[in-house]
Amino acid sequence: MSAKDKLSVCVVGSGNWGSAIAKIVGANVMKHNNKFNTRVPMYVYEEIINNQKLTSIINELHENIKYLPGHKLPENVVAVADVVEAAKDADILIFVLPHQFIRTLCATLLGQIKPTAVGLSLIKGFDQGDGTNVELISKIIEKNLRIQCHVLMGANLANEVAEEKFCETTIGCKDKRLGPILKDLVQTSYFRVVVVEDTEAVEVCGALKNVVACAAGFVDGLGLGDNTKAAVIRLGLMEMIKFVDTFFGGAKLSTFFESCGVADLITTCYGGRNRRICEQFVKSGKSIRQLEEELLSGQKLQGPATADEVHAMLKARNALEKFPLFTAVQRICHEEIRPADLIDQIRIHPEHEAKDEEKK
């Protein structure tokens, strides 16, 4: 393959997870330099750290000292403050930034990227769309940038990935030609990739698990123990499956048992930022917004925002009662009910009972 036929990759985002995936991508394009160009631009929202630009720090030290301190990035990963400059030559755009910024980003990039480029979204969350329907981030990217966009979701806490602790992830990609290329781009000996065609289910799991993680955090804050937490996780998984079936349809049950489903749910309910902040919400009496500002070093919390987006969609479809856990989390985040009311909301509910037909 000639140099002009090799694929160029850009990482759009440089937070905790963006920096961790850039570490993998930077190493893999070197490993597969017969397929990929080895320079990897990484779009970095410019900040001043210790009187120095964050981009300059990353390019000099090869470390994102704010969002992924203590982990060296490959030298071929180059921090770029201008997103158009970073993305203009890319054949594969890896989107990994808070979902609240995706529409503005797409507006900036429209007409500035290759028309043949494809996206890979690592963004976990929904966009509220018209207020009554949630929109998948990959679909927003496709519609606003006029490119194909696939997804990567899994039990992938960024610090553990950066520390090269073994884990799995799931790529949702319907393009049988592109799937293996994306796999080569991100798979390592410690980061196992499974490609499935169930793209929508993969992406929806990545968003909904953050809502369930909030419930798990409330349970931890209340000191209710592991049995209760396990019950909340199971009930949350049931609501995730029902949500996909109700609003997207056609998903294979097996997809929920990939890393994007049950594994990501378990990991987030025990180790994620949504669980941690919601635990502190119960213990400290501070608001979620205040805790986000105090504890997350500029990172954004996805669970409460996703709960709002899901709530608007369920309310528009008159389906709130069918999703008692999702509904309770949204109401607790808005302080309409107490965290201690969570269990009463989900304790005995017909929507959580297995139907006889389903047992056969």
Side-chain angles (χ1 to χ4, degrees):
M1 182 179 287
S2 66
K4 68 177 183 178
D5 294 325
K6 294 180 182 180
L7 299 173
S8 294
V9 184
C10 171
V11 178
V12 184
S14 59
N16 192 228
W17 185 211
S19 298
I21 207 70
K23 178 185 175 186
I24 287 176
V25 170
N28 276 356
V29 297
M30 296 296 291
K31 177 181 177 182
H32 300 290
N33 60 13
N34 60 321
K35 299 178 183 179
F36 301 105
N37 286 315
T38 54
R39 183 179 182 271
V40 179
M42 178 176 70
Y43 166 60
V44 175
Y45 178 78
E46 192 68 276
E47 300 177 62
I48 302 299
I49 310 293
N50 299 327
N51 297 317
Q52 192 175 2
K53 292 179 179 179
L54 181 56
T55 51
S56 299
I57 295 171
I58 292 172
N59 289 332
E60 291 171 13
L61 301 181
H62 306 293
E63 180 183 346
N64 189 334
I65 64 169
K66 179 169 184 180
Y67 295 110
L68 196 69
H71 297 283
K72 289 295 183 182
L73 299 173
E75 294 187 9
N76 58 316
V77 173
V78 181
V80 180
D82 183 337
V83 69
V84 172
E85 178 64 27
K88 65 180 182 180
D89 297 322
D91 299 290
I92 300 173
L93 292 158
I94 300 176
F95 296 95
V96 52
L97 69 166
H99 77 283
Q100 296 94 329
F101 304 132
I102 196 63
R103 289 183 184 274
T104 302
L105 180 91
C106 287
T108 302
L109 289 178
L110 181 61
Q112 305 295 324
I113 60 173
K114 289 184 177 181
T116 54
V118 297
L120 181 65
S121 174
L122 279 61
I123 302 170
K124 295 180 177 180
F126 291 132
D127 185 271
Q128 196 157 330
D130 61 7
T132 60
N133 271 308
V134 298
E135 288 192 66
L136 300 180
I137 301 301
S138 65
K139 301 304 179 189
I140 292 172
I141 293 170
E142 288 186 344
K143 182 169 65 176
N144 287 279
L145 282 182
R146 301 167 194 166
I147 63 173
Q148 285 185 15
C149 188
H150 311 279
V151 298
L152 181 151
M153 306 282 157
N156 307 141
L157 295 177
N159 286 336
E160 293 185 12
V161 173
E163 290 165 5
E164 302 187 5
K165 295 177 179 177
F166 177 79
C167 66
E168 299 177 305
T169 200
T170 311
I171 290 178
C173 178
K174 293 182 171 68
D175 186 332
K176 292 186 176 356
R177 177 196 63 84
L178 184 62
I181 295 172
L182 296 177
K183 185 174 181 176
D184 281 344
L185 187 60
V186 295
Q187 179 161 267
T188 72
S189 60
Y190 61 88
F191 195 67
R192 179 176 179 265
V193 177
V194 174
V195 180
V196 302
E197 295 184 13
D198 229 349
T199 304
E200 289 181 336
V202 171
E203 185 168 5
V204 174
C205 283
L208 293 181
K209 57 94 182 184
N210 284 325
V211 181
V212 184
C214 289
F218 299 145
V219 168
D220 287 344
L222 293 164
L224 296 178
D226 287 336
N227 290 343
T228 302
K229 190 169 178 177
V232 164
I233 292 171
R234 186 189 75 83
L235 296 174
L237 179 60
M238 290 176 68
E239 290 195 14
M240 288 168 60
I241 294 169
K242 184 184 296 181
F243 188 93
V244 171
D245 186 54
T246 300
F247 295 107
F248 297 93
K252 297 178 181 177
L253 187 60
S254 60
T255 300
F256 296 94
F257 293 95
E258 294 292 350
S259 184
C260 62
V262 65
D264 197 10
L265 179 61
I266 292 169
T267 296
T268 310
C269 286
Y270 278 90
R273 72 184 74 150
N274 291 280
R275 184 216 64 79
R276 178 164 59 96
I277 295 297
C278 287
E279 179 183 14
Q280 291 305 313
F281 172 71
V282 177
K283 290 181 174 179
S284 70
K286 297 179 180 179
S287 71
I288 285 176
R289 182 177 294 276
Q290 184 179 356
L291 289 165
E292 180 183 52
E293 292 174 354
E294 290 179 2
L295 301 178
L296 293 186
S297 302
Q299 297 179 75
K300 297 298 181 182
L301 200 64
Q302 303 294 348
T306 301
D308 280 343
E309 291 150 2
V310 169
H311 189 269
M313 188 171 181
L314 295 176
K315 186 176 181 180
R317 305 288 183 91
N318 197 29
L320 289 173
E321 291 188 357
K322 295 183 178 181
F323 295 85
L325 189 142
F326 290 170
T327 300
V329 167
Q330 194 270 349
R331 294 183 69 196
I332 292 168
C333 289
H334 283 271
E335 301 185 36
E336 295 175 9
I337 61 175
R338 300 172 305 144
D341 295 327
L342 173 68
I343 303 306
D344 285 338
Q345 299 294 308
I346 64 175
R347 189 192 306 274
I348 301 174
H349 200 287
E351 296 302 329
H352 288 154
E353 297 289 335
K355 304 295 189 293
D356 288 342
E357 299 82 46
E358 294 170 347
K359 295 177 182 177
K360 294 177 182 177

